[in-house]
Amino acid sequence: MAIKPLGRKTSSKNPPILSHEFVIQNHADIVSCIAMVFVVGLMIQATSQLASIFVTLHHNVTGEEPSAETPRGQPFFYEPGWKDACAVFFYMLICIIMHAILQEYVLDKISKKLHLSKFKLARFNESGQLVVFFLVSFLWGIEVIMREQYISRLSTLWEHYPNHPMSFIHKLYFIIQLAYYLHMLPELYFQKVKKEEQRDKIRHALFGLFFITFGYVFKFQRISIVLLTFHYFSEVNTHIFQLLEIFDKQEKMANCRILGNIVFVSMRFATMVLSVLTFFYGIGNTEQATLGIVALFVVYALQGYLIFQFINEFLRHRREKQAELKAMKKSKPVKVDKAKKEKKQDSDAPETDQNSTGKLKTK
């Protein structure tokens, strides 16, 4: 049995090699071959050192080999560095491959059974991809927060700043985050996203890259992973409810959106409170007070933008509901209106006429 290549749509036409259609249909296979070049490079002694820059994590502050200061079995700690850009590029390739696998073997199989319209299909694919990423990131963030005790001991979020080295899993978290938001840009081409829909997706990708890079480069990794976990919890709820709306054709779960709104507002409030505690009262009392104020401004600017978008989406959804109700009222059956008129005419007629019409109807 032949194996269907990743990312390839079933089509009777074979596009020319290296054409746009060929690249789009086979982009997952092409990217897989590029990623395999780095993996194979690790196995060859002449290229292993170069390939390791892309595959493994670097900028270890505890030393490459165990020593008296770092005995065997103790975890290594890392800091940001220029080699992280190479790792982000490699894991961006992995994100593109995983995107194609999820689309090909999960979302496409589900959507074929649902028979969705083009609008709902696009929304289903987008929410399906994002809910997986947000859920994994949320659970990953919870695991790091619990392990490092960032919530139980809040002072660890700002104590000894900027000397905040990261554990392996903590640094890998940020590499994957940056890689995922970066992979959103080529996916616009691979998924043939329309120009009118590209603006919001590009804004989403660039905002994610900017804010995560800001927190990572300026060594706000501890507070950043907590705030990202808050944000992803809100996003998981939002996209789950969007998927429920697609499946719920009879709108039996319409009130679920209210719960999603409550979660969104509560996460924005928690983010702003924790940001003030960390950047203003924590880092603000150190020599890095200016950088802390700048970081607080950046966080509040993002929260203001998210709240503005939330209000716009809420008002748009409300207008759509009102328009649907008006359309339903106008499209009532004409027979019902005729029946009402007949009843009114009968009630307005004299009693003798009502009795005669009643007898005629019974006949």
Side-chain angles (χ1 to χ4, degrees):
M1 183 178 67
I3 299 176
K4 183 180 176 182
L6 290 177
R8 178 177 295 179
K9 302 293 183 181
T10 55
S11 176
S12 58
K13 296 181 180 180
N14 294 321
I17 297 176
L18 298 182
S19 64
H20 289 289
E21 193 64 29
F22 177 85
V23 173
I24 291 172
Q25 288 185 7
N26 301 276
H27 73 274
D29 299 319
I30 297 171
V31 173
S32 299
C33 293
I34 297 174
M36 284 300 298
V37 171
F38 295 101
V39 176
V40 173
L42 286 174
M43 305 177 186
I44 303 173
Q45 186 175 2
T47 59
S48 61
Q49 188 173 1
L50 178 61
S52 65
I53 298 177
F54 291 87
V55 179
T56 61
L57 302 184
H58 291 273
H59 304 287
N60 188 344
V61 295
T62 52
E64 296 295 334
E65 297 293 338
S67 61
E69 291 78 12
T70 59
R72 188 179 298 275
Q74 293 296 321
F76 289 160
F77 292 95
Y78 301 83
E79 65 180 4
W82 67 270
K83 292 181 182 179
D84 295 337
C86 301
V88 169
F89 173 76
F90 175 77
Y91 288 101
M92 179 198 70
L93 303 179
I94 303 301
C95 288
I96 293 175
I97 297 171
M98 297 305 297
H99 186 114
I101 292 174
L102 179 61
Q103 185 68 44
E104 188 78 17
Y105 295 105
V106 179
L107 299 180
D108 285 349
K109 292 184 180 297
I110 296 175
S111 61
K112 286 179 182 178
K113 297 180 180 180
L114 296 177
H115 305 289
L116 302 173
S117 62
K118 289 184 178 180
F119 174 76
K120 286 190 174 182
L121 179 62
R123 201 164 188 178
F124 171 77
N125 290 332
E126 181 184 11
S127 294
Q129 291 283 349
L130 290 176
V131 77
V132 173
F133 169 70
F134 291 144
L135 182 59
V136 171
S137 299
F138 169 71
L139 296 176
W140 193 346
I142 287 292
E143 200 277 336
V144 175
I145 291 170
M146 297 297 291
R147 176 181 296 184
E148 304 293 338
Q149 297 181 352
Y150 290 154
I151 295 297
S152 59
R153 295 189 294 117
L154 278 177
S155 59
T156 56
L157 296 177
W158 58 80
E159 280 183 349
H160 309 297
Y161 179 83
N163 298 320
H164 283 178
M166 296 170 286
S167 62
F168 176 85
I169 193 172
H170 196 165
K171 178 163 184 170
L172 183 62
Y173 174 89
F174 280 97
I175 296 297
I176 298 300
Q177 293 295 312
L178 293 171
Y180 188 87
Y181 282 100
L182 186 62
H183 110 284
M184 288 182 175
L185 299 177
E187 282 295 340
L188 298 176
Y189 172 71
F190 295 145
Q191 300 298 325
K192 294 183 178 181
V193 179
K194 297 179 181 180
K195 290 184 177 180
E196 57 269 18
E197 300 176 358
Q198 289 182 3
R199 181 180 298 178
D200 292 337
K201 297 181 184 295
I202 292 174
R203 188 187 298 119
H204 183 200
L206 293 180
F207 275 19
L209 282 172
F210 171 76
F211 288 105
I212 294 175
T213 302
F214 178 86
Y216 183 70
V217 171
F218 290 101
K219 300 185 178 181
F220 296 120
Q221 299 95 347
R222 296 181 180 181
I223 180 64
S224 294
I225 195 171
V226 176
L227 298 184
L228 283 173
T229 303
F230 286 168
H231 175 69
Y232 289 150
F233 178 68
S234 172
E235 291 297 311
V236 165
N237 283 274
T238 299
H239 287 281
I240 286 177
F241 293 143
Q242 285 187 5
L243 291 174
L244 289 176
E245 288 181 357
I246 294 173
F247 289 110
D248 186 23
K249 296 181 179 180
Q250 298 180 353
E251 297 185 357
K252 294 181 179 179
M253 304 182 67
N255 294 328
C256 289
R257 181 176 286 270
I258 299 175
L259 179 60
N261 296 340
I262 294 173
V263 172
F264 177 87
V265 173
S266 61
M267 289 300 102
R268 301 283 76 80
F269 178 75
T271 297
M272 290 187 287
V273 171
L274 191 59
S275 298
V276 171
L277 289 175
T278 303
F279 296 119
F280 188 77
Y281 290 104
I283 300 175
N285 294 325
T286 65
E287 296 178 356
Q288 307 292 332
T290 303
L291 186 56
I293 297 300
V294 173
L296 181 63
F297 172 78
V298 170
V299 172
Y300 269 66
L302 175 61
Q303 301 310 306
Y305 172 78
L306 293 175
I307 293 173
F308 177 76
Q309 291 292 105
F310 169 76
I311 294 174
N312 282 340
E313 181 68 18
F314 176 79
L315 295 177
R316 183 188 66 80
H317 187 266
R318 189 174 181 180
R319 287 194 297 267
E320 289 178 355
K321 286 295 182 182
Q322 291 178 350
E324 289 178 3
L325 291 174
K326 290 181 180 179
M328 290 175 62
K329 289 180 180 179
K330 290 181 180 179
S331 61
K332 282 185 176 181
V334 181
K335 293 181 179 180
V336 177
D337 295 338
K338 288 183 177 180
K340 288 182 178 180
K341 288 182 179 179
E342 289 178 358
K343 288 182 180 180
K344 186 176 181 181
Q345 289 175 358
D346 291 343
S347 61
D348 292 340
E351 186 176 354
T352 55
D353 294 340
Q354 291 181 19
N355 295 332
S356 61
T357 53
K359 291 177 181 179
L360 289 172
K361 288 180 182 179
T362 54
K363 290 180 183 180

